[in-house]
Amino acid sequence: MKAFLALCVVFLGITDTVAMSHSLKYFYTASSGIPNFPEFASVGMVDNFPIDHYDSNTGRAQIKQDWMTKVIADDPQYMDRNTQVYLGDQQTFKANIEMVKQRFNQTGGVHLYHSMYGCEWDDETDEVNGYDQDGYDGEDFISLDLKTETWIAAKSQAVIMKHIWESNKAYIAQNKYYYTQYCPEWLKKYVNYGRSSLMRKDLPSVSLLQKTPSSLVTCHATGFYPDRADLFWRKDGEELHEDVDKGEILPNHDGTFQMSVDLKISSIAAEDWKKYDCVFQMSDVKDDIIKLDKSVIRTNEGNSLPMIIPIVVAVAVLSVITVVGFIVYKKKNDKRPPSPVENREVQEEMLPKA
Protein backbone atom coordinates (compact mmCIF):
# COMPACT_ATOMS: atom_id res chain seq x y z
CA MET A 1 0.00 0.00 0.00
CA LYS A 2 2.96 3.55 -0.74
CA ALA A 3 8.35 6.97 -4.41
CA PHE A 4 8.08 9.15 -1.30
CA LEU A 5 9.93 12.46 -1.11
CA ALA A 6 12.96 12.24 1.16
CA LEU A 7 12.55 13.58 4.66
CA CYS A 8 15.36 16.08 5.17
CA VAL A 9 16.91 16.10 8.63
CA VAL A 10 17.53 19.83 8.35
CA PHE A 11 13.91 20.43 7.37
CA LEU A 12 12.55 18.45 10.31
CA GLY A 13 15.19 19.54 12.76
CA ILE A 14 15.42 15.98 14.08
CA THR A 15 18.67 14.42 15.22
CA ASP A 16 19.51 11.14 16.87
CA THR A 17 16.04 9.71 16.25
CA VAL A 18 15.12 6.11 15.70
CA ALA A 19 14.27 5.25 12.11
CA MET A 20 10.67 4.22 11.75
CA SER A 21 7.74 4.09 9.42
CA HIS A 22 5.23 6.94 9.62
CA SER A 23 1.67 6.95 8.37
CA LEU A 24 -1.10 9.41 7.56
CA LYS A 25 -4.51 7.81 7.33
CA TYR A 26 -8.08 9.02 7.03
CA PHE A 27 -11.04 6.88 8.04
CA TYR A 28 -14.53 7.79 6.84
CA THR A 29 -17.68 5.93 7.78
CA ALA A 30 -21.37 6.38 7.15
CA SER A 31 -24.24 4.53 8.78
CA SER A 32 -27.87 3.85 8.06
CA GLY A 33 -30.46 2.47 10.43
CA ILE A 34 -28.39 2.75 13.65
CA PRO A 35 -30.17 4.79 16.36
CA ASN A 36 -28.06 7.27 18.33
CA PHE A 37 -25.06 6.73 16.07
CA PRO A 38 -23.61 9.45 13.78
CA GLU A 39 -24.68 9.19 10.16
CA PHE A 40 -21.18 10.26 9.22
CA ALA A 41 -17.84 10.33 11.03
CA SER A 42 -14.27 11.00 10.02
CA VAL A 43 -10.96 10.60 11.84
CA GLY A 44 -7.49 11.59 10.62
CA MET A 45 -4.51 9.75 12.09
CA VAL A 46 -0.75 10.23 12.11
CA ASP A 47 1.24 7.22 13.31
CA ASN A 48 -1.98 5.81 14.78
CA PHE A 49 -2.60 8.98 16.79
CA PRO A 50 -5.94 10.63 16.01
CA ILE A 51 -5.18 14.20 14.92
CA ASP A 52 -8.71 15.36 14.15
CA HIS A 53 -12.27 14.11 14.34
CA TYR A 54 -15.60 15.09 12.85
CA ASP A 55 -19.07 13.60 13.10
CA SER A 56 -22.53 14.61 12.02
CA ASN A 57 -23.68 15.02 15.63
CA THR A 58 -21.22 17.81 16.44
CA GLY A 59 -20.93 19.25 12.94
CA ARG A 60 -17.47 20.61 13.72
CA ALA A 61 -13.93 19.34 13.16
CA GLN A 62 -11.96 18.99 16.39
CA ILE A 63 -8.25 18.46 16.98
CA LYS A 64 -7.25 15.42 19.06
CA GLN A 65 -3.56 16.11 19.83
CA ASP A 66 -2.06 19.04 21.72
CA TRP A 67 0.65 19.46 19.11
CA MET A 68 -2.00 20.12 16.46
CA THR A 69 -2.35 23.60 17.96
CA LYS A 70 0.96 24.38 16.22
CA VAL A 71 -0.69 23.62 12.89
CA ILE A 72 -3.53 25.99 13.72
CA ALA A 73 -1.14 28.68 14.92
CA ASP A 74 0.60 28.62 11.55
CA ASP A 75 -2.68 28.33 9.66
CA PRO A 76 -5.61 29.88 11.61
CA GLN A 77 -8.18 28.80 9.00
CA TYR A 78 -7.13 25.15 9.16
CA MET A 79 -10.06 23.87 11.29
CA ASP A 80 -12.69 25.99 9.54
CA ARG A 81 -11.61 24.62 6.18
CA ASN A 82 -11.61 21.06 7.48
CA THR A 83 -15.08 21.52 8.91
CA GLN A 84 -16.34 22.63 5.51
CA VAL A 85 -14.65 19.67 3.85
CA TYR A 86 -16.26 17.23 6.28
CA LEU A 87 -19.67 18.90 5.91
CA GLY A 88 -19.43 18.30 2.18
CA ASP A 89 -18.35 14.70 2.72
CA GLN A 90 -21.25 14.20 5.11
CA GLN A 91 -23.79 15.17 2.46
CA THR A 92 -22.09 12.97 -0.13
CA PHE A 93 -22.07 9.98 2.21
CA LYS A 94 -25.71 10.46 3.11
CA ALA A 95 -26.65 10.26 -0.58
CA ASN A 96 -24.25 7.49 -1.49
CA ILE A 97 -25.21 5.04 1.23
CA GLU A 98 -28.71 5.09 -0.22
CA MET A 99 -27.29 4.50 -3.69
CA VAL A 100 -25.20 1.56 -2.49
CA LYS A 101 -28.22 0.07 -0.72
CA GLN A 102 -30.11 0.23 -4.00
CA ARG A 103 -27.27 -1.55 -5.78
CA PHE A 104 -27.60 -4.38 -3.26
CA ASN A 105 -31.41 -4.30 -3.47
CA GLN A 106 -31.69 -3.28 0.19
CA THR A 107 -34.52 -1.14 1.47
CA GLY A 108 -33.89 -1.06 5.21
CA GLY A 109 -31.86 -2.49 8.05
CA VAL A 110 -28.50 -1.52 9.52
CA HIS A 111 -25.75 -0.70 7.03
CA LEU A 112 -22.23 0.77 7.16
CA TYR A 113 -19.73 1.81 4.55
CA HIS A 114 -16.27 3.13 5.10
CA SER A 115 -13.15 4.28 3.35
CA MET A 116 -9.58 4.17 4.60
CA TYR A 117 -6.99 5.96 2.52
CA GLY A 118 -3.57 7.39 3.17
CA CYS A 119 0.15 6.89 2.86
CA GLU A 120 3.15 5.53 4.72
CA TRP A 121 6.77 6.63 4.70
CA ASP A 122 9.87 4.94 6.05
CA ASP A 123 12.28 7.62 7.25
CA GLU A 124 15.24 5.26 6.84
CA THR A 125 14.66 3.70 3.42
CA ASP A 126 12.50 6.57 2.09
CA GLU A 127 10.04 3.96 0.83
CA VAL A 128 6.52 5.20 0.19
CA ASN A 129 3.23 3.37 0.02
CA GLY A 130 -0.30 4.55 -0.63
CA TYR A 131 -3.63 2.81 -0.19
CA ASP A 132 -7.34 3.31 -0.69
CA GLN A 133 -9.47 0.46 0.65
CA ASP A 134 -13.23 0.70 0.48
CA GLY A 135 -16.05 -1.58 1.43
CA TYR A 136 -19.63 -2.01 2.52
CA ASP A 137 -21.19 -3.77 5.50
CA GLY A 138 -17.88 -5.16 6.69
CA GLU A 139 -16.88 -6.71 3.37
CA ASP A 140 -14.41 -5.59 0.74
CA PHE A 141 -16.01 -3.47 -1.96
CA ILE A 142 -13.32 -1.85 -4.09
CA SER A 143 -9.64 -1.03 -3.54
CA LEU A 144 -6.78 0.67 -5.33
CA ASP A 145 -3.68 -1.18 -6.59
CA LEU A 146 -1.26 1.73 -6.78
CA LYS A 147 1.51 -0.27 -8.46
CA THR A 148 -0.64 -1.21 -11.45
CA GLU A 149 -2.80 1.93 -11.18
CA THR A 150 -5.93 -0.18 -11.35
CA TRP A 151 -8.94 -0.81 -9.12
CA ILE A 152 -9.93 -4.18 -7.73
CA ALA A 153 -13.68 -4.70 -7.50
CA ALA A 154 -14.48 -7.18 -4.75
CA LYS A 155 -18.22 -7.07 -5.52
CA SER A 156 -20.06 -7.08 -8.82
CA GLN A 157 -21.80 -3.90 -7.70
CA ALA A 158 -18.42 -2.14 -7.79
CA VAL A 159 -17.41 -3.16 -11.32
CA ILE A 160 -19.00 -0.11 -12.94
CA MET A 161 -17.02 2.14 -10.61
CA LYS A 162 -13.81 0.28 -11.48
CA HIS A 163 -14.35 0.86 -15.21
CA ILE A 164 -15.25 4.52 -14.78
CA TRP A 165 -12.24 5.35 -12.60
CA GLU A 166 -9.78 3.39 -14.75
CA SER A 167 -11.02 5.07 -17.93
CA ASN A 168 -10.31 8.50 -16.46
CA LYS A 169 -6.60 9.02 -17.19
CA ALA A 170 -6.54 12.38 -15.40
CA TYR A 171 -7.89 10.75 -12.24
CA ILE A 172 -5.27 8.00 -12.43
CA ALA A 173 -2.55 10.67 -12.65
CA GLN A 174 -4.10 12.53 -9.70
CA ASN A 175 -4.08 9.37 -7.63
CA LYS A 176 -0.42 8.76 -8.37
CA TYR A 177 0.46 12.36 -7.47
CA TYR A 178 -1.55 12.25 -4.26
CA TYR A 179 -0.03 9.03 -2.91
CA THR A 180 3.56 9.61 -4.00
CA GLN A 181 3.90 13.34 -3.34
CA TYR A 182 1.01 15.27 -1.83
CA CYS A 183 0.09 12.92 1.02
CA PRO A 184 3.76 12.26 1.90
CA GLU A 185 4.48 15.99 1.99
CA TRP A 186 1.69 16.52 4.52
CA LEU A 187 2.76 13.47 6.50
CA LYS A 188 6.22 14.97 6.87
CA LYS A 189 4.71 18.26 8.00
CA TYR A 190 2.69 16.51 10.68
CA VAL A 191 5.72 14.50 11.82
CA ASN A 192 7.62 17.77 12.11
CA TYR A 193 4.87 19.38 14.19
CA GLY A 194 4.42 16.38 16.44
CA ARG A 195 7.92 14.92 16.55
CA SER A 196 8.22 15.28 20.35
CA SER A 197 5.30 12.89 20.70
CA LEU A 198 5.69 10.74 17.62
CA MET A 199 9.40 10.02 18.12
CA ARG A 200 9.17 9.10 21.78
CA LYS A 201 9.34 5.65 23.34
CA ASP A 202 7.11 4.65 26.24
CA LEU A 203 7.70 1.41 28.11
CA PRO A 204 4.72 -0.68 29.20
CA SER A 205 3.39 -2.13 32.38
CA VAL A 206 3.51 -5.93 32.01
CA SER A 207 1.27 -8.19 34.09
CA LEU A 208 0.21 -11.82 34.30
CA LEU A 209 -3.56 -12.23 34.54
CA GLN A 210 -5.81 -15.23 35.11
CA LYS A 211 -9.55 -15.55 35.61
CA THR A 212 -9.45 -18.83 37.52
CA PRO A 213 -6.61 -21.14 38.65
CA SER A 214 -7.31 -23.50 35.75
CA SER A 215 -7.79 -20.95 32.98
CA LEU A 216 -5.26 -19.52 30.53
CA VAL A 217 -2.58 -17.21 31.86
CA THR A 218 -2.55 -13.93 29.99
CA CYS A 219 0.58 -11.86 29.67
CA HIS A 220 -0.65 -8.31 29.16
CA ALA A 221 1.47 -5.26 28.24
CA THR A 222 -0.10 -1.81 28.13
CA GLY A 223 1.07 1.78 27.80
CA PHE A 224 3.84 1.27 25.26
CA TYR A 225 4.71 3.44 22.25
CA PRO A 226 5.36 3.08 19.37
CA ASP A 227 3.43 0.01 18.26
CA ARG A 228 6.48 -1.71 16.80
CA ALA A 229 6.90 -4.12 19.68
CA ASP A 230 6.55 -7.82 20.42
CA LEU A 231 5.20 -9.88 23.31
CA PHE A 232 5.69 -13.63 23.55
CA TRP A 233 6.03 -16.61 25.88
CA ARG A 234 9.27 -18.58 26.20
CA LYS A 235 10.23 -21.96 27.62
CA ASP A 236 13.87 -22.47 28.60
CA GLY A 237 14.71 -19.29 26.70
CA GLU A 238 13.08 -20.41 23.42
CA GLU A 239 9.99 -18.69 22.02
CA LEU A 240 6.84 -20.82 22.21
CA HIS A 241 4.56 -21.27 19.22
CA GLU A 242 2.31 -24.02 20.57
CA ASP A 243 -0.30 -23.64 23.32
CA VAL A 244 -0.20 -19.86 22.92
CA ASP A 245 -2.73 -17.42 21.50
CA LYS A 246 -1.34 -14.04 20.51
CA GLY A 247 -3.62 -11.03 20.29
CA GLU A 248 -3.34 -7.98 18.08
CA ILE A 249 -1.80 -4.68 19.12
CA LEU A 250 -4.62 -2.34 20.11
CA PRO A 251 -4.63 1.41 20.75
CA ASN A 252 -5.35 2.95 24.15
CA HIS A 253 -7.26 6.19 24.60
CA ASP A 254 -4.03 8.13 25.26
CA GLY A 255 -2.30 7.13 22.03
CA THR A 256 -0.25 4.33 23.58
CA PHE A 257 -0.81 0.65 22.81
CA GLN A 258 -1.58 -2.64 24.48
CA MET A 259 -1.30 -6.30 23.55
CA SER A 260 -1.62 -9.68 25.19
CA VAL A 261 -0.61 -13.31 24.65
CA ASP A 262 -2.28 -16.27 26.33
CA LEU A 263 -0.55 -19.41 27.55
CA LYS A 264 -2.35 -22.73 28.01
CA ILE A 265 -1.12 -24.10 31.36
CA SER A 266 -3.32 -27.19 31.76
CA SER A 267 -0.56 -29.46 30.49
CA ILE A 268 2.28 -27.74 32.38
CA ALA A 269 3.43 -29.52 35.52
CA ALA A 270 3.78 -27.33 38.60
CA GLU A 271 7.50 -28.01 38.86
CA ASP A 272 7.99 -26.84 35.25
CA TRP A 273 6.45 -23.38 35.72
CA LYS A 274 9.89 -21.93 36.43
CA LYS A 275 10.91 -22.77 32.86
CA TYR A 276 8.42 -20.29 31.42
CA ASP A 277 8.52 -16.52 31.12
CA CYS A 278 6.86 -13.76 29.12
CA VAL A 279 8.99 -11.26 27.21
CA PHE A 280 8.16 -7.78 25.97
CA GLN A 281 10.55 -6.56 23.26
CA MET A 282 11.04 -3.15 21.68
CA SER A 283 14.05 -2.00 19.68
CA ASP A 284 16.81 -0.17 21.54
CA VAL A 285 15.38 -0.93 25.00
CA LYS A 286 16.04 -3.74 27.45
CA ASP A 287 13.64 -6.69 27.30
CA ASP A 288 10.98 -6.71 30.02
CA ILE A 289 10.78 -10.31 31.32
CA ILE A 290 8.26 -11.66 33.80
CA LYS A 291 8.46 -15.22 35.13
CA LEU A 292 5.47 -17.57 35.23
CA ASP A 293 4.93 -17.54 38.97
CA LYS A 294 1.69 -18.01 40.91
CA SER A 295 2.69 -15.28 43.33
CA VAL A 296 2.69 -12.58 40.63
CA ILE A 297 -0.44 -13.67 38.75
CA ARG A 298 -3.39 -11.37 39.29
CA THR A 299 -6.69 -13.26 39.42
CA ASN A 300 -10.32 -12.81 40.35
CA GLU A 301 -9.58 -14.71 43.53
CA GLY A 302 -7.52 -12.77 46.06
CA ASN A 303 -5.82 -10.30 43.77
CA SER A 304 -8.21 -8.08 41.92
CA LEU A 305 -8.10 -8.65 38.19
CA PRO A 306 -8.08 -5.28 36.47
CA MET A 307 -10.61 -4.58 33.80
CA ILE A 308 -8.89 -5.04 30.46
CA ILE A 309 -11.30 -3.37 28.12
CA PRO A 310 -9.44 -1.44 25.44
CA ILE A 311 -10.51 2.16 25.30
CA VAL A 312 -10.22 2.47 21.56
CA VAL A 313 -10.50 5.71 19.67
CA ALA A 314 -13.30 5.95 17.12
CA VAL A 315 -10.99 5.32 14.20
CA ALA A 316 -9.75 2.06 15.75
CA VAL A 317 -13.32 0.82 15.74
CA LEU A 318 -13.43 1.55 12.04
CA SER A 319 -10.15 -0.24 11.39
CA VAL A 320 -11.27 -3.42 13.19
CA ILE A 321 -14.09 -3.73 10.69
CA THR A 322 -12.84 -4.51 7.18
CA VAL A 323 -11.68 -1.16 5.86
CA VAL A 324 -14.32 -0.40 3.33
CA GLY A 325 -16.36 2.41 1.84
CA PHE A 326 -17.46 4.46 -1.11
CA ILE A 327 -17.02 8.23 -1.30
CA VAL A 328 -17.45 10.71 -4.12
CA TYR A 329 -16.46 14.24 -3.21
CA LYS A 330 -15.46 17.16 -5.44
CA LYS A 331 -14.19 20.10 -3.39
CA LYS A 332 -10.53 21.15 -3.71
CA ASN A 333 -8.53 22.17 -0.66
CA ASP A 334 -4.88 23.24 -0.83
CA LYS A 335 -4.24 23.44 2.92
CA ARG A 336 -5.14 19.92 3.99
CA PRO A 337 -4.54 16.62 2.21
CA PRO A 338 -7.73 16.27 0.14
CA SER A 339 -9.34 12.91 -0.17
CA PRO A 340 -7.95 11.23 -3.27
CA VAL A 341 -11.52 10.29 -4.09
CA GLU A 342 -12.54 13.93 -4.33
CA ASN A 343 -11.86 13.99 -8.07
CA ARG A 344 -13.36 10.65 -9.01
CA GLU A 345 -15.45 10.97 -12.12
CA VAL A 346 -18.74 9.12 -11.82
CA GLN A 347 -21.70 8.67 -14.04
CA GLU A 348 -24.74 10.72 -13.08
CA GLU A 349 -26.73 7.65 -12.06
CA MET A 350 -24.08 6.74 -9.51
CA LEU A 351 -24.56 9.91 -7.50
CA PRO A 352 -28.18 10.70 -6.55
CA LYS A 353 -29.12 14.32 -7.01
CA ALA A 354 -29.91 16.37 -3.93
Side-chain angles (χ1 to χ4, degrees):
M1 301 178 176
K2 313 165 190 121
F4 243 123
L5 300 176
L7 178 57
C8 176
V9 173
V10 175
F11 171 71
L12 286 181
I14 299 174
T15 58
D16 298 326
T17 57
V18 177
M20 60 188 295
S21 177
H22 299 282
S23 65
L24 171 60
K25 302 175 184 177
Y26 287 93
F27 294 81
Y28 288 177
T29 189
S31 68
S32 175
I34 306 179
N36 303 316
F37 191 81
E39 289 183 332
F40 172 78
S42 173
V43 181
M45 299 189 77
V46 173
D47 289 358
N48 293 317
F49 278 87
I51 59 171
D52 72 354
H53 170 260
Y54 171 92
D55 66 55
S56 54
N57 289 346
T58 64
R60 181 73 188 173
Q62 301 174 341
I63 60 172
K64 306 301 291 185
Q65 297 296 324
D66 291 341
W67 55 263
M68 283 292 291
T69 58
K70 301 175 185 177
V71 180
I72 298 174
D74 289 345
D75 181 5
Q77 302 304 313
Y78 180 87
M79 295 309 295
D80 288 337
R81 276 197 314 275
N82 280 11
T83 294
Q84 293 305 310
V85 169
Y86 291 137
L87 283 169
D89 289 340
Q90 176 181 327
Q91 295 305 312
T92 299
F93 267 66
K94 186 175 181 179
N96 283 345
I97 196 168
E98 295 302 319
M99 180 273 293
V100 175
K101 286 166 60 177
Q102 292 176 15
R103 287 186 173 274
F104 283 91
N105 296 318
Q106 298 165 337
T107 57
V110 173
H111 301 284
L112 291 168
Y113 68 87
H114 332 250
S115 179
M116 187 277 285
Y117 68 91
C119 56
E120 294 178 353
W121 165 69
D122 189 306
D123 64 10
E124 183 177 48
T125 66
D126 210 30
E127 180 184 2
V128 175
N129 189 21
Y131 37 81
D132 186 334
Q133 301 173 342
D134 309 334
Y136 180 68
D137 282 352
E139 296 184 357
D140 291 342
F141 192 60
I142 191 169
S143 60
L144 174 66
D145 186 331
L146 188 58
K147 292 182 179 179
T148 62
E149 300 181 4
T150 59
W151 290 88
I152 301 171
K155 300 290 183 181
S156 60
Q157 290 84 354
V159 172
I160 186 173
M161 295 152 61
K162 165 184 168 65
H163 292 322
I164 292 172
W165 296 341
E166 290 180 355
S167 66
N168 187 334
K169 302 305 180 184
Y171 177 56
I172 293 175
Q174 290 166 357
N175 265 325
K176 186 173 182 179
Y177 172 77
Y178 178 86
Y179 289 116
T180 62
Q181 296 186 55
Y182 198 78
C183 181
E185 287 174 354
W186 268 92
L187 172 55
K188 295 170 187 179
K189 290 181 183 180
Y190 287 133
V191 170
N192 184 36
Y193 280 115
R195 62 183 180 271
S196 61
S197 295
L198 301 175
M199 296 296 190
R200 77 182 197 275
K201 282 199 173 185
D202 294 342
L203 299 182
S205 169
V206 182
S207 304
L208 297 185
L209 312 169
Q210 190 178 33
K211 293 181 179 179
T212 68
S214 60
S215 62
L216 300 172
V217 174
T218 297
C219 183
H220 181 252
T222 186
F224 61 89
Y225 183 87
D227 61 350
R228 283 160 288 279
D230 199 8
L231 186 70
F232 55 89
W233 282 101
R234 297 188 310 188
K235 179 183 179 183
D236 294 328
E238 297 292 329
E239 182 176 353
L240 282 175
H241 299 286
E242 296 182 357
D243 295 328
V244 295
D245 184 12
K246 195 169 187 175
E248 295 181 355
I249 296 179
L250 299 173
N252 291 317
H253 71 287
D254 60 357
T256 62
F257 298 90
Q258 64 172 285
M259 66 186 305
S260 62
V261 57
D262 297 332
L263 173 66
K264 182 180 178 181
I265 63 169
S266 58
S267 60
I268 301 176
E271 60 270 20
D272 290 333
W273 276 44
K274 60 181 178 294
K275 300 179 180 180
Y276 293 80
D277 54 33
C278 179
V279 183
F280 174 85
Q281 283 186 343
M282 180 184 286
S283 63
D284 300 323
V285 300
K286 185 179 179 180
D287 290 353
D288 192 339
I289 303 173
I290 184 169
K291 290 284 187 180
L292 179 60
D293 188 329
K294 289 184 183 294
S295 65
V296 299
I297 296 177
R298 306 170 72 177
T299 72
N300 286 327
E301 301 176 2
N303 299 324
S304 59
L305 179 63
M307 185 180 299
I308 312 171
I309 300 177
I311 305 174
V312 184
V313 293
V315 66
V317 176
L318 304 181
S319 62
V320 169
I321 305 172
T322 307
V323 263
V324 288
F326 169 58
I327 10 179
V328 181
Y329 177 56
K330 293 194 173 189
K331 182 184 287 184
K332 288 190 175 181
N333 177 5
D334 293 332
K335 295 293 186 178
R336 162 193 178 271
S339 162
V341 298
E342 287 179 0
N343 297 315
R344 286 180 183 168
E345 294 295 332
V346 296
Q347 291 181 348
E348 183 175 293
E349 63 93 17
M350 293 184 65
L351 182 61
K353 294 182 180 179

